[in-house]
Amino acid sequence: MFRTALRNVLAHKARLLMTVLAVMLGVAFVSGTLVFTNTISNAYQNSSAKGFDQVDVAVTPESQESEGDRLGTTPELTQAQLDTSAKVPGAANAIGVVSGFTAIADKDGKLIGGGFQSQGGNYWGDKDPRYPLSEGSAPQGKDQVLIDSETAKRAGYKVGDTVRLSIDGPVLTPKITGIFTTDDGNVAAGGSLALFDTASAQALFGKAGTYDEIDVKAAAGTSQTALKSALDKALPKDTTETTTGKRLADDQAEAIASSMSGLKQGLLVFAGIALFVGTFIIANTFTMLVAQRTKELALLRAVGASRRQVTRSVLIEAFVVGTVAAVSGLVAGIGIGAGLRALMGTFDAAVPAGPLVITPGTVGAALAVGILITMLAAWLPGRRAAKIPPVAAMSSVHAQATVKSLVLRNTLGALFSAAGVAVVLAATSMGGSDGQAPMGLGAVLLIIGIFILTPLLSRPLIAAAAPILRIFGVSGKLARQNSVRNPRRTAATASALMIGLTLITGMTVMAGSLQTAINKMASSSLKADYVVSMANGNSLSPDVDKKLGELDDVTATSPLRNAASRIDGETEYLTGVTGSTIGDLTELPMDNGTFKVGGSRVVVDDTTAESHDWKAGSTFTVNYEDGKKQQLTISGVYQGNEMIRGIMLDNATLTPHVEDPADMQVMVKTSDGTSSATKDKLEEALGSNPAIKVQDKQDISNDISQMFTLMLNMLYGLLAMAVLVAVLGVINTLAMSVFERSQEIGMLRAIGLDRKGIKRMVRLESLVICLFGGVLGIGLGVFFGWAAGELLASTMSTYELVLPWTRMAVFLLLAATVGVLAALWPARRAARLNMLTAIKSE
């Protein structure tokens, strides 16, 4: 039986090729993901470990938790603590670390590093061991700065150049006195690092005379553990915390691995989808192969082979196919992992140097996935073939499914579908995160139910295409009949495409509806012409609001100033605004009361009011960060949204209690409204700062639109693998269908159907099957998109369903294109059959 199975594999090489390709693509996706994420994670871990070479023990402030009416605080590390750390037994030296956001512009004025990786810090003394100078000298004063070598290379800076940079809004133009090398992970990822002398860094980052961290280097012969113990005895335990350099490196490695796990899981989900789609192809292929060899298997049974041996022979074939596919997929995946790493450089996402990481786990996963999925998909056809009595197989009376099996299948499918719809509908009424898990369960049940029912659905849906197919005469009629001749095969082929289009359509519906909701939110809640903010989401200096307010064209401004407080024993964030102008800059629907902010009068969003059982006229006591208390009165409750929410009070009331005021954004209204000239004036007033965004409503909408477009394009690219596998499935099904209908095709040729007619018949059959899968996929995608939107609507009042008719038409056209392209080779093969040879075939 083993030799028989191997001979069958070799005899059906061409027919198994598409199955091998389908499994290979899925395995390549899995192994490529593992190789890529392991390689990147290893490179960052090695790079970050180098960054701790100069740190044997790090001293950091011990944050105090909020309790009662008291806000939690983070104490500052003082010069005295630095001096103490440097003198403890076993310490060679100690360095005070200061850091903060620092945006650097290139020579064209554009921000380097995308904002989030733009960092600044201090250079310790004349020779900082953390940052070896490759050229130049240490900085002295605020007008001098060092930049890292990667940033200098990307932007074309050299020693002696003047660079434009920003800490919290205002533009600085220091001179570059030196260029240094670093193993900093942010720089390796494409960010930037600027260093000032320690005093200047403390002043610029608002930490005069204090430090964020103290890095202590151990003397020769002193272990990190011994140094940590000495520091613990010398420093106050209630305000400081010590950590060894090894522990810091280990924590950083864990953080990197954790951050990469999200990417890995996301990519593996799409690999799983591709493999799931591939199972339809495998099951279809082995079902057709077994059906074509029914008499052969019956003969084996007749000469003494048991049911188990017949099933085992089919599984051996699947094992060989799966092994070939898994090994080739692993090799392709290694190439994909290496290619993705190289590709990151083209997207300005530099990666630290390091070897390509191929772990035993990756090899094992690739082989296990490829072999197990192939064998599992082939098990049912093999088992079904083994159960057919030899006499029935010889006479082919087994060919048609029994009424009992069809009734059982349709009943089961209806139950699954009904349960799936019921659970999804129930989840939409739950709202928020509570409904996510039930909706996921309902979606799985519904997809399984539709898959089971697909053979039943195929007849009426394909019959609906009959009027169009009649246009093509005999070829069209034959194509329709062939499509419904074997509903299970048609269903399995169409289902592979259905799954991919369901996900694509659902995400498109969600993205389009969210985009519309956010546009409505921006237009309905903002009356300001412009919103000014930092490119990386950090806070702005209060000077930004002052500079904008001094412009002649500006009629009103208001910063949104955040500050923590304690209310009723809980931490609540207050939003400081300019009470006299905020009403001219926002338009927020009121649930009750009036929108009046000033003195002790505040307005509160509906969610916060509900959580505290507040309404217009209610009073509450706030505990500010400086420890002082004040009783505030609620003048009104407004409907909050994703852009504006929280407790609003006048900045004149809030700012005296805030030690370091910082604004998240500034709203601006101008006399001339929005125009490119007005926007230019605002940007010029802020020094044409690359770190600051000046946006009108359309700019805000475009930013969000770009984010959704980027996300969708990435998802489309990932799901393209599943669609490609589905295409292979269509090709495989048609090719094997042509083979098993060779005699029939020969007869059609003999009675007058020409080669063009044969080609047209096969193409139309493929087109009908793919459009059937496309219609099911788009229909399910719209349903799931609507259901997921209902969850969002519970937290986003402006959300409404928007159907992307144009894109759905494109998806349907894509399904039709898949059908046409997939049929090219099978149709050509069918047309080239010798009619006499075909008629004589069995």
Side-chain angles (χ1 to χ4, degrees):
M1 294 303 293
F2 181 75
R3 288 197 300 272
T4 301
L6 290 181
R7 285 173 181 169
N8 278 322
V9 171
L10 296 174
H12 301 125
K13 294 189 293 292
R15 285 180 249 174
L16 290 169
L17 177 61
M18 294 301 169
T19 298
V20 171
L21 285 174
V23 179
M24 185 196 78
L25 285 173
V27 171
F29 206 154
V30 171
S31 54
T33 295
L34 295 175
V35 169
F36 172 66
T37 52
N38 288 340
T39 297
I40 299 300
S41 180
N42 181 70
Y44 278 116
Q45 286 175 12
N46 290 340
S47 176
S48 66
K50 291 178 184 177
F52 293 109
D53 285 348
Q54 298 299 322
V55 183
D56 285 316
V57 178
V59 181
T60 53
E62 177 71 28
S63 297
Q64 307 297 310
E65 295 183 359
S66 300
E67 186 177 349
D69 293 337
R70 181 182 60 82
L71 270 172
T73 58
T74 301
E76 297 172 332
L77 297 175
T78 63
Q79 183 65 40
Q81 289 171 331
L82 173 62
D83 296 337
T84 301
S85 300
K87 295 175 182 177
V88 298
N93 59 64
I95 294 175
V97 179
V98 182
S99 61
F101 170 73
T102 303
I104 303 177
D106 60 21
K107 291 186 175 181
D108 296 325
K110 295 180 180 178
L111 181 65
I112 296 174
F116 292 99
Q117 293 84 29
S118 302
Q119 292 295 316
N122 67 309
Y123 188 81
W124 189 256
D126 295 327
K127 192 175 182 181
D128 193 328
R130 300 172 299 166
Y131 307 112
L133 285 174
S134 56
E135 55 181 301
S137 57
Q140 300 291 331
K142 294 181 181 180
D143 295 330
Q144 295 186 4
V145 69
L146 303 180
I147 64 171
D148 66 271
S149 55
E150 290 298 320
T151 298
K153 186 189 302 180
R154 285 196 298 268
Y157 284 126
K158 60 183 184 296
V159 174
D161 288 347
T162 297
V163 62
R164 291 169 56 81
L165 54 82
S166 173
I167 305 296
D168 57 1
V171 174
L172 304 175
T173 55
K175 179 182 177 182
I176 299 173
T177 62
I179 294 173
F180 63 92
T181 59
T182 178
D183 293 311
D184 187 282
N186 285 325
V187 174
S192 62
L193 180 60
L195 300 178
F196 304 89
D197 69 86
T198 299
S200 299
Q202 289 174 323
L204 289 168
F205 299 131
K207 299 163 185 175
T210 63
Y211 303 94
D212 297 309
E213 184 177 309
I214 297 172
D215 292 342
V216 187
K217 183 72 175 172
T222 303
S223 67
Q224 291 186 353
T225 306
L227 180 59
K228 180 181 184 301
S229 298
L231 287 166
D232 286 339
K233 292 177 182 177
L235 296 172
K237 293 181 180 180
D238 57 338
T239 58
T240 59
E241 181 180 5
T242 58
T243 311
T244 63
K246 184 180 183 305
R247 183 63 202 170
L248 288 173
D250 291 343
D251 289 345
Q252 183 78 354
E254 288 179 15
I256 291 170
S258 176
S259 65
M260 293 302 295
S261 69
L263 173 63
K264 182 187 292 185
Q265 289 171 7
L267 291 173
L268 287 176
V269 165
F270 290 97
I273 293 168
L275 285 166
F276 181 60
V277 171
T279 58
F280 293 109
I281 300 174
I282 301 165
N284 237 7
T285 301
F286 278 93
T287 298
M288 296 170 77
L289 283 175
V290 168
Q292 291 167 13
R293 289 161 39 208
T294 299
K295 291 185 179 180
E296 173 192 327
L297 295 175
L299 184 60
L300 288 172
R301 291 287 311 282
V303 297
S306 66
R307 286 185 178 183
R308 184 174 297 177
Q309 286 178 310
V310 170
T311 303
R312 193 181 302 151
S313 71
V314 176
L315 290 178
I316 290 171
E317 291 181 51
F319 175 80
V320 174
V321 171
T323 302
V324 172
V327 171
S328 55
L330 174 61
V331 174
I334 293 171
I336 290 172
L340 285 173
R341 175 179 170 171
L343 190 64
M344 287 186 72
T346 64
F347 293 104
D348 296 327
V351 179
L356 197 66
V357 178
I358 306 167
T359 64
T362 298
V363 176
L367 294 176
V369 165
I371 294 171
L372 287 177
I373 284 181
T374 307
M375 292 183 69
L376 285 172
W379 175 75
L380 189 59
R383 182 172 176 272
R384 190 183 300 133
K387 290 176 68 176
I388 301 171
V391 175
M394 291 289 189
S395 58
S396 299
V397 297
H398 67 285
Q400 297 298 323
T402 63
V403 173
K404 180 180 178 182
S405 69
L406 291 175
V407 169
L408 179 62
R409 178 182 181 122
N410 294 337
T411 302
L412 192 62
L415 290 174
F416 267 98
S417 299
V421 171
V423 173
V424 169
L425 292 177
T428 59
S429 63
M430 296 179 184
S433 58
D434 294 339
Q436 291 177 5
M439 183 164 291
L441 173 63
V444 171
L445 291 174
L446 180 55
I447 288 177
I448 293 173
I450 293 295
F451 169 64
I452 297 173
L453 284 175
T454 306
L456 178 66
L457 298 173
S458 65
R459 291 186 178 276
L461 288 178
I462 292 176
I468 299 175
L469 292 175
R470 289 196 192 103
I471 299 172
F472 299 96
V474 174
S475 297
K477 183 177 180 180
L478 290 171
R480 183 181 65 80
Q481 292 174 346
N482 289 334
S483 300
V484 296
R485 176 186 295 183
N486 192 328
R488 291 187 177 186
R489 184 184 304 168
T490 298
T493 307
S495 294
L497 188 61
M498 175 193 79
I499 291 169
L501 286 179
T502 296
L503 295 170
I504 289 173
T505 304
M507 289 185 299
T508 304
V509 170
M510 282 285 296
S513 300
L514 274 171
Q515 177 66 57
T516 303
I518 291 170
N519 288 347
K520 287 179 62 177
M521 189 185 300
S523 60
S524 62
S525 61
L526 286 179
K527 292 198 303 187
D529 295 320
Y530 294 97
V531 174
V532 179
S533 60
M534 292 291 281
N536 70 327
N538 275 14
S539 55
L540 290 161
S541 165
D543 290 341
V544 172
D545 178 51
K546 292 178 182 177
K547 286 186 178 181
L548 293 172
E550 292 169 356
L551 297 177
D552 294 336
D553 296 339
V554 173
T555 58
T557 68
S558 175
L560 297 185
R561 185 167 297 167
N562 282 7
S565 70
R566 295 286 286 179
I567 300 173
D568 296 336
E570 297 179 3
T571 299
E572 292 280 2
Y573 282 89
L574 308 174
T575 301
V577 298
T578 303
S580 59
T581 60
I582 189 64
D584 299 325
L585 299 167
T586 59
E587 189 169 11
L588 299 167
M590 301 297 295
D591 281 351
N592 56 76
T594 58
F595 195 91
K596 185 176 181 180
V597 178
S600 62
R601 301 187 68 82
V602 302
V603 292
V604 183
D605 71 286
D606 48 357
T607 303
T608 304
E610 184 178 353
S611 66
H612 288 279
D613 197 23
W614 290 339
K615 59 184 178 180
S618 298
T619 60
F620 62 92
T621 300
V622 60
N623 297 270
Y624 296 110
E625 66 177 49
D626 63 355
K628 295 184 178 179
K629 299 182 179 182
Q630 183 178 7
Q631 189 175 67
L632 302 177
T633 302
I634 298 173
S635 59
V637 177
Y638 66 91
Q639 295 178 16
N641 54 49
E642 298 300 318
M643 299 181 68
I644 302 175
R645 61 174 56 189
I647 303 171
M648 286 190 197
L649 71 164
D650 200 322
N651 274 322
T653 303
L654 174 65
T655 304
H657 302 286
V658 180
E659 182 179 355
D660 186 18
D663 304 330
M664 296 310 297
Q665 60 186 42
V666 178
M667 296 181 180
V668 182
K669 195 170 185 64
T670 63
S671 55
D672 298 330
T674 57
S675 68
S676 57
T678 303
K679 184 176 181 180
D680 289 342
K681 286 181 182 178
L682 296 179
E683 290 177 342
E684 287 174 9
L686 298 174
S688 300
N689 192 330
I692 293 181
K693 296 190 296 186
V694 179
Q695 297 178 297
D696 58 22
K697 294 177 188 177
Q698 189 59 50
D699 292 331
I700 295 172
S701 177
N702 290 343
D703 260 9
I704 297 167
S705 177
Q706 287 176 2
M707 179 182 66
F708 282 129
T709 301
L710 177 62
M711 179 188 69
L712 272 180
N713 289 340
M714 289 174 61
L715 294 175
Y716 288 163
L718 292 169
L719 286 172
M721 181 68 75
V723 175
L724 179 58
V725 173
V727 172
L728 294 176
V730 178
I731 296 173
N732 207 26
T733 299
L734 290 174
M736 297 186 73
S737 179
V738 165
F739 176 83
E740 71 178 16
R741 284 168 23 212
S742 296
Q743 190 176 59
E744 175 188 320
I745 292 171
M747 290 294 296
L748 290 171
R749 290 290 314 282
I751 62 176
L753 190 63
D754 60 11
R755 289 186 173 182
K756 286 185 178 179
I758 294 293
K759 284 184 179 181
R760 190 180 302 119
M761 177 187 73
V762 176
R763 288 171 182 165
L764 289 173
E765 181 182 347
S766 174
L767 183 64
V768 166
I769 292 173
C770 288
L771 284 175
F772 169 53
V775 168
L776 284 180
I778 292 171
L780 280 174
V782 169
F783 176 72
F784 290 141
W786 165 81
E790 288 298 297
L791 287 183
L792 283 174
S794 63
T795 57
M796 186 178 289
S797 59
T798 55
Y799 184 89
E800 64 179 35
L801 181 67
V802 177
L803 294 180
W805 295 105
T806 303
R807 291 209 177 191
M808 288 194 295
V810 170
F811 296 155
L812 199 59
L813 182 62
L814 171 66
T817 305
V818 165
V820 172
L821 294 177
L824 289 178
W825 179 62
R828 185 169 178 268
R829 186 165 180 258
R832 294 181 65 182
L833 285 174
N834 183 290
M835 69 177 74
L836 294 179
T837 304
I839 290 172
K840 290 189 294 182
S841 66
E842 295 186 5

